[in-house]
Amino acid sequence: MWFTKTIEAVLKELGIDSAQGLSDKEALTRLNKYGANTLLAEKKKNIFLLFFEQLKNWLIYILLGAVVITIFMGEYVDAVIIMLVIIINAVLGVIQEVKAGKAIEALQKLTISKALVRRNGVAQEIDSEKIVPGDILILDAGRIIAADIRLIESINLRIDESSLTGESVPSEKEATLIQSDLKTALGDRLNLGFMSTTITSGRGLGIVVETGMETEIGEIASIINTEVKSKTPLEIRLDKLGKTLGIIAIVICVLIFIIAMLQGRILSEMFMLSVSLAVAAIPEGLAAIVAVVLAVGVTNLSKKNAIIKKLSAVETLGSLNIICSDKTCTLTQNKMTVTSGFNLDGLVEIVEIGKDKTTSEDLKLMVKAFILSSDASYNKGIGTGDPTEIALLIMGDTIGIDRKTLQNTNKRIDELAFDSDRKLMTTLIDENGKFTVYTKGALGNLIEICTHILESGKSIPITEAHKQKYLDAAVSMSNQALRTLGAAYKPVKGKIDPAEMEKDLILIGLVGMIDPPRTEVKDSILKAKNAGIKTLMITGDHKNTAFAIALRLGIAEKIEQTITGQEIDAFTEQEFSERINNYSVFARVSPEHKVKIVRALKSQGNVVSMTGDGVNDAPSLNAADIGVAMGISGTDVAKSASDMILVDDNFATIVTAIEQGRNIYNNIKKSVIFLITCNLGEVLTIFVALIIGLKAPLIATQLLWINLITDSLPAIALGMDSGNPDVMKEKPRPAKESFFANGAGLHVLVGGFLIGALTIAAYYFGYYERGYSPFDKQVPQNTIEYARTMAFMVLVVCQLFYSLALRHERKSIFSIGLFTNKYLVAAIVAGLALQLVVIGIPVIRSAFHLQMPDIQAWVIIIALGLTPLILNEIMKIFIRNLNKKAQK
């Protein structure tokens, strides 16, 4: 443990002279030994492996079986068509995965990290990946630490470790400190610096002790790599649907095989009928259509500042009911802000003052003391240095103090730097010949060195009552999650001994500051709550601080809803899982706790999202059903572990994504219901015809044309339907809810039976028009083809127009707007046009074994084709009336 060793012991162990650093030769040797200072990326899958992974699907297995049968029977054209379908689906899946991978690689290359090191006795800047154990890092404000280091020199050094520990206040470092407790928490190892953390103020030197995967961040990355990623609800549903349809297809084929043998049909005909039924039972284009619908949703989300890494994650966002969010940066701004001030005149809300001319002189003096005892800078919205000091400078701007003039007319001639023992910083200022000492720091320490207090511009002796009044105010501020800081001063005759500077001071006042919530977050949390989604805060902050923020945001209402990491450890895994729903705020937690929280939530049947930006969020991002990382402030580790990245770091974007996800799922459901309904109609057409001893009304090639072309266009168009504006007023779907829940299954059965019955009726009419019956044993081939043409055309027209009925479960197409989905209108027109091409061009007509219908047949085709839509609209009228009566 490097934090338990002295500086000399560390230098000796690593064989380094801190004044010279490594030589170039030795650095190269160590680079070869320890490897590059980078985290191991997830191993990429090659194109061929990605391609074959797309074939691991029950629907594909059945189609491959159909290919084998058709080749065996010599129907090579059908075999080629089916194989093309399989290849197209697989290629589409590969393209989507490759695109997603490239998008993330581009994000990770946005920032190229550099480090300032001492080598060969000279300071030089090198790529951080070339850092090796033993390198001497030169540390100054604003620089990102490139590896884990043991500090060997620190001067007022503060490091922002919020991305690692969750603490929004920078950690005060001390190189000479030696810590003997081996269980010292990460955030309390004050003589160490960690990879990817940022220096906010001060300067120092550090010797690299760990690089790459051996760093603290590397250990977190290891946790990520060992977490098994479960399938999303959409993937589970599609897999289940595929298996169900595959089993149905097999059962039907076996049943037809038995029936065909009993009927004495020839072997070749029996096999081709089985292939036809398999093709009819399986929606070949389902996987491709779902991918297209999801891709459209991904594109829309990218325009709304959300990058999706995995297509199925879009749907999962729509079904989640828990959002776990880190506090710092995600819910709050990660920017300390002074909200209130206190002196003997009472409490003053700084945020409400603005540049009011009535600001009291006492308050102005307090702010002046803070500004003149600070080392930070803040100009044109950009601050450097300690966030607390930046907040004090902004407070000066808020109440109308001209900082530039103040700092130009007041010269600092001496100072006592801040340290963790005194918890104070003091400066001696020359104010045009008048000398004043200004001190800021922790109230408990400051009040003990004050002998007077300021009241209405006058210095009076401080009393115990005064002290108690200030201490009570500090406690009140702390209960509101405010960090307190006091200010004091004293006039002096000239330059004095530093030991005399922090004596006999005059207490001016006290301020409270907070890392404020993002302005848009509260409304977003309320919107999510109305949609049945619970927001949880998970943070490394103290219990009271976390609860105060949660109370402001509407996440929690009472302190009992808050639990700490230490309290979590007191429970067994089972006990914690049983109690998890009682809590809304989780404070003082480690990365391991966050993963434990997510797993406990999932064990209770929740679909969980974790949002965050820091390295400490990465394991829980990976463990959640949906991990959401911040694009601007997020670390590369967090982005890699996530399923979605918010480009604008806006918590509200995730609520927008949830809304989009719900609408995308609804659109996918419309497409699936449409395809299954159409396929059921096809199966019933063939199955019933064969049961009653008829020839197959449709052949395999015709069915493939319908499934891949005519069905696919409306299915894709339904997937691009406009969103339901009331979708966020509904509760989340249960994670295991079937596609056929809430009456959708009945819709499929009714629609399928109706389309099948009308198709058989058209098939019968084709025989009847030519003077034959389908039960006749001797029927000319052209009559059979004519009857199949009628069945083919009616089936297609029925399906095309029926797609309009599926836009909404209850609303009429006229109330929705017949032309509000222009894609669907275009799909119907295109489908009809393609049918005319197939029927009108002799070569194609002959390839599909079709005949040209006459005028009477066209009238029958249109009349029968509109019937399912008309009947469905009539049924919706009854449903709406029943709902109205139920509401009364």
Side-chain angles (χ1 to χ4, degrees):
M1 295 292 186
W2 298 104
F3 59 88
T4 64
K5 300 178 180 179
T6 64
I7 295 172
E8 293 75 16
V10 173
L11 290 171
K12 183 178 180 180
E13 185 172 338
L14 292 171
I16 297 299
D17 177 359
S18 61
Q20 291 295 315
L22 292 172
S23 65
D24 290 337
K25 183 179 179 181
E26 178 61 21
L28 182 60
T29 301
R30 296 193 182 197
L31 184 62
N32 292 330
K33 178 180 179 181
Y34 296 105
N37 180 35
T38 56
L39 301 181
L40 292 179
E42 187 176 349
K43 189 176 180 181
K44 290 184 180 180
K45 297 175 183 176
N46 61 50
I47 295 294
F48 294 104
L49 185 58
L50 287 174
F51 179 84
F52 284 110
E53 282 193 351
Q54 309 304 314
L55 303 180
K56 295 178 180 179
N57 184 297
W58 268 87
L59 299 179
I60 303 300
Y61 297 156
I62 302 299
L63 288 179
L64 288 172
V67 169
V68 173
I69 294 172
T70 51
I71 291 174
F72 177 76
M73 297 307 304
E75 299 291 340
Y76 301 114
V77 174
D78 289 352
V80 169
I81 292 173
I82 298 172
M83 201 64 209
L84 280 174
V85 173
I86 296 170
I87 292 171
I88 289 170
N89 282 337
V91 169
L92 182 60
V94 170
I95 290 171
Q96 292 297 340
E97 289 202 29
V98 170
K99 280 184 178 179
K102 287 183 178 179
I104 297 307
E105 287 177 9
L107 276 172
Q108 293 173 338
K109 291 177 181 177
L110 287 176
T111 304
I112 300 175
S113 180
K114 298 281 186 179
L116 189 63
V117 301
R118 181 180 292 163
R119 286 186 179 176
N120 305 308
V122 179
Q124 54 184 289
E125 196 170 53
I126 64 172
D127 291 339
S128 61
E129 63 182 22
K130 296 180 180 177
I131 296 293
V132 295
D135 261 321
I136 302 296
L137 296 191
I138 300 172
L139 313 173
D140 51 25
R143 194 170 291 278
I144 296 174
I145 299 177
D148 284 4
I149 58 173
R150 170 63 165 90
L151 295 171
I152 58 177
E153 182 180 307
S154 61
I155 302 171
N156 301 328
L157 186 64
R158 294 187 185 184
I159 300 176
D160 179 3
E161 297 177 343
S162 61
S163 65
L164 189 64
T165 64
E167 292 282 0
S168 53
V169 177
S171 177
E172 301 161 15
K173 297 296 183 177
E174 179 53 58
T176 58
L177 186 66
I178 301 173
Q179 295 169 297
S180 57
D181 186 359
L182 296 177
K183 295 183 179 180
T184 301
L186 204 63
D188 296 328
R189 297 175 189 178
L190 303 181
N191 56 10
L192 297 185
F194 303 105
M195 186 181 191
S196 290
T197 58
T198 305
I199 301 166
T200 59
S201 63
R203 55 190 176 85
L205 295 175
I207 181 170
V208 175
V209 292
E210 304 289 356
T211 60
M213 293 298 290
E214 299 302 316
T215 62
E216 290 296 332
I217 288 178
E219 289 186 15
I220 292 175
S222 299
I223 296 174
I224 297 169
N225 293 336
T226 57
E227 182 69 31
V228 178
K229 197 69 174 176
S230 58
K231 287 188 175 183
T232 67
L234 178 60
E235 290 173 322
I236 293 169
R237 289 188 186 92
L238 288 176
D239 283 350
K240 188 175 180 180
L241 179 61
K243 289 178 182 178
T244 301
L245 293 174
I247 292 170
I248 290 172
I250 292 170
V251 170
I252 290 174
C253 288
V254 171
L255 189 59
I256 289 302
F257 184 88
I258 295 171
I259 293 171
M261 288 188 66
L262 294 175
Q263 292 177 344
R265 295 178 184 257
I266 59 176
L267 185 64
S268 60
E269 182 182 342
M270 180 175 61
F271 273 117
M272 289 313 299
L273 289 176
S274 297
V275 171
S276 297
L277 273 170
V279 170
I282 299 171
E284 290 85 359
L286 179 61
I289 289 166
V290 170
V292 169
V293 174
L294 285 170
V296 171
V298 167
T299 302
N300 291 336
L301 275 173
S302 67
K303 295 175 182 176
K304 296 176 182 178
N305 298 316
I307 295 175
I308 299 296
K309 290 173 61 179
K310 192 175 182 182
L311 287 179
S312 52
V314 182
E315 180 274 337
T316 309
L317 273 172
S319 64
L320 68 86
N321 64 327
I322 298 285
I323 300 175
C324 298
S325 177
D326 182 53
K327 179 184 76 70
T328 306
C329 256
T330 311
L331 296 174
T332 64
Q333 300 172 23
N334 199 23
K335 182 176 69 176
M336 297 300 290
T337 303
V338 179
T339 60
S340 56
F342 178 82
N343 56 26
L344 290 184
D345 292 332
L347 188 68
V348 180
E349 295 297 322
I350 301 296
V351 291
E352 295 178 358
I353 292 176
K355 295 183 179 179
D356 193 338
K357 300 298 181 182
T358 61
T359 302
S360 71
E361 292 301 317
D362 287 5
L363 182 60
K364 287 183 179 180
L365 179 60
M366 178 174 65
V367 176
K368 178 182 178 181
F370 282 131
I371 293 172
L372 294 177
S373 59
S374 296
D375 292 326
S377 65
Y378 182 80
N379 292 295
K380 297 180 180 180
I382 300 174
T384 58
D386 188 290
T388 299
E389 293 191 342
I390 293 172
L392 297 173
L393 300 183
I394 294 174
M395 177 178 63
D397 296 341
T398 303
I399 68 168
I401 288 180
D402 185 346
R403 288 190 292 110
K404 186 175 181 180
T405 301
L406 180 66
Q407 290 169 333
N408 288 340
T409 56
N410 294 274
K411 182 181 178 182
R412 184 186 300 187
I413 58 174
D414 203 356
E415 69 177 275
L416 282 175
F418 182 92
D419 68 46
S420 55
D421 293 328
R422 292 169 28 253
K423 298 188 184 300
L424 301 170
M425 178 179 179
T426 300
T427 58
L428 177 58
I429 305 296
D430 180 354
E431 302 178 275
N432 295 320
K434 295 182 179 180
F435 297 87
T436 308
V437 170
Y438 291 106
T439 301
K440 75 173 191 300
L443 181 67
N445 296 48
L446 183 63
I447 207 167
E448 295 302 320
I449 57 175
C450 291
T451 56
H452 289 71
I453 192 169
L454 196 67
E455 183 179 37
S456 301
K458 295 181 180 179
S459 173
I460 61 173
I462 194 168
T463 65
E464 290 301 318
H466 290 142
K467 290 182 179 181
Q468 191 59 49
K469 190 173 184 179
Y470 264 84
L471 292 173
D472 289 345
V475 170
S476 177
M477 288 181 178
S478 296
N479 289 338
Q480 300 174 55
L482 299 179
R483 184 183 180 215
T484 58
L485 203 64
Y489 82 110
K490 71 174 178 180
V492 293
K493 295 180 180 180
K495 187 172 182 179
I496 61 174
D497 188 275
E500 298 298 317
M501 289 168 63
E502 293 180 350
K503 291 181 180 179
D504 302 324
L505 298 177
I506 304 167
L507 184 62
I508 310 172
L510 174 74
V511 294
M513 61 185 70
I514 194 172
D515 180 10
R518 291 175 176 267
T519 54
E520 71 282 351
V521 164
K522 188 171 184 179
D523 289 339
S524 298
I525 290 173
L526 180 60
K527 186 176 182 180
K529 185 177 181 180
N530 291 335
I533 301 165
K534 185 178 181 181
T535 303
L536 307 180
M537 179 192 291
I538 302 179
T539 178
D541 276 346
H542 291 279
K543 187 173 185 176
N544 288 344
T545 302
F547 171 68
I549 291 289
L551 185 63
R552 289 189 180 195
L553 293 174
I555 292 175
E557 296 176 354
K558 49 188 178 180
I559 192 69
E560 288 76 18
Q561 292 174 287
T562 305
I563 186 173
T564 65
Q566 189 175 12
E567 290 168 333
I568 291 173
D569 290 334
F571 293 127
T572 64
E573 187 173 330
Q574 181 65 31
E575 288 172 340
F576 183 54
S577 294
E578 291 171 355
R579 290 173 170 82
I580 188 72
N581 292 327
N582 298 331
Y583 304 109
S584 298
V585 183
F586 302 85
R588 303 301 286 170
V589 296
S590 67
E592 291 77 12
H593 286 132
K594 293 185 179 185
V595 175
K596 189 175 182 180
I597 290 164
V598 172
R599 287 175 176 168
L601 289 166
K602 290 173 70 174
S603 73
Q604 297 299 308
N606 296 298
V607 179
V608 183
S609 168
M610 172 68 188
T611 66
D613 62 343
V615 173
N616 63 325
D617 293 323
S620 48
L621 288 175
N622 194 68
D625 293 294
I626 291 292
V628 184
M630 301 294 134
I632 298 173
S633 59
T635 60
D636 285 345
V637 175
K639 291 172 186 174
S640 296
S642 68
D643 298 288
M644 185 174 86
I645 299 170
L646 304 183
V647 176
D648 59 354
D649 281 18
N650 192 335
F651 181 87
T653 302
I654 192 174
V655 180
T656 301
I658 291 170
E659 184 173 2
Q660 184 81 359
R662 288 187 175 188
N663 279 319
I664 288 171
Y665 178 81
N666 289 340
N667 287 346
I668 289 173
K669 184 174 180 179
K670 292 175 193 176
S671 298
V672 170
I673 296 301
F674 172 73
L675 289 172
I676 302 301
T677 302
C678 293
N679 283 37
L680 178 59
E682 296 163 17
V683 169
L684 289 174
T685 298
I686 296 176
F687 186 73
V688 172
L690 296 179
I691 287 293
I692 61 178
L694 303 181
K695 287 185 176 293
L698 297 161
I699 60 175
T701 308
Q702 293 168 352
L703 287 167
L704 275 171
W705 170 265
I706 294 171
N707 284 3
L708 297 178
I709 306 299
T710 315
D711 286 357
S712 296
L713 293 176
I716 292 172
L718 283 170
M720 299 172 71
D721 215 353
S722 56
N724 179 4
D726 298 326
V727 74
M728 290 301 279
K729 294 179 182 178
E730 301 170 1
K731 299 300 180 184
R733 296 180 315 277
K736 297 181 180 180
E737 182 182 278
S738 166
F739 278 117
F740 307 106
N742 302 318
L746 180 61
H747 208 291
V748 169
L749 291 175
V750 172
F753 274 100
L754 186 58
I755 291 172
L758 292 170
T759 303
I760 291 174
Y763 182 60
Y764 183 88
F765 178 82
Y767 279 97
Y768 176 79
E769 190 180 11
R770 291 294 180 91
Y772 290 92
S773 166
F775 296 101
D776 292 343
K777 293 184 178 181
Q778 298 296 325
V779 181
Q781 184 62 30
N782 64 343
T783 299
I784 296 173
E785 289 183 356
Y786 187 79
R788 283 175 174 167
T789 300
M790 290 297 297
F792 180 61
M793 293 301 296
V794 167
L795 180 61
V796 168
V797 176
C798 278
Q799 292 176 353
L800 289 174
F801 285 117
Y802 190 68
S803 64
L804 290 168
L806 292 175
R807 290 193 62 196
H808 201 280
E809 295 174 354
R810 295 177 300 277
K811 292 182 181 179
S812 166
I813 56 170
F814 300 106
S815 63
I816 298 172
L818 190 60
F819 298 101
T820 50
N821 187 340
K822 295 178 181 178
Y823 299 106
L824 184 55
V825 174
I828 294 171
V829 172
L832 293 172
L834 287 169
Q835 287 302 105
L836 292 176
V837 168
V838 170
I839 214 82
I841 298 176
V843 175
I844 301 177
R845 184 169 65 234
S846 176
F848 279 86
H849 305 287
L850 300 171
Q851 300 283 323
M852 176 63 76
D854 57 23
I855 296 298
Q856 183 183 6
W858 280 113
V859 173
I860 295 295
I861 289 168
I862 293 171
L864 293 179
L866 286 169
T867 301
L869 173 62
I870 294 169
L871 291 177
N872 192 272
E873 287 299 300
I874 293 171
M875 189 165 64
K876 284 182 180 178
I877 294 172
F878 285 105
I879 292 173
R880 289 196 295 272
N881 289 334
L882 287 172
N883 288 338
K884 287 179 181 178
K885 289 180 181 179
Q887 290 173 359
K888 290 179 181 180

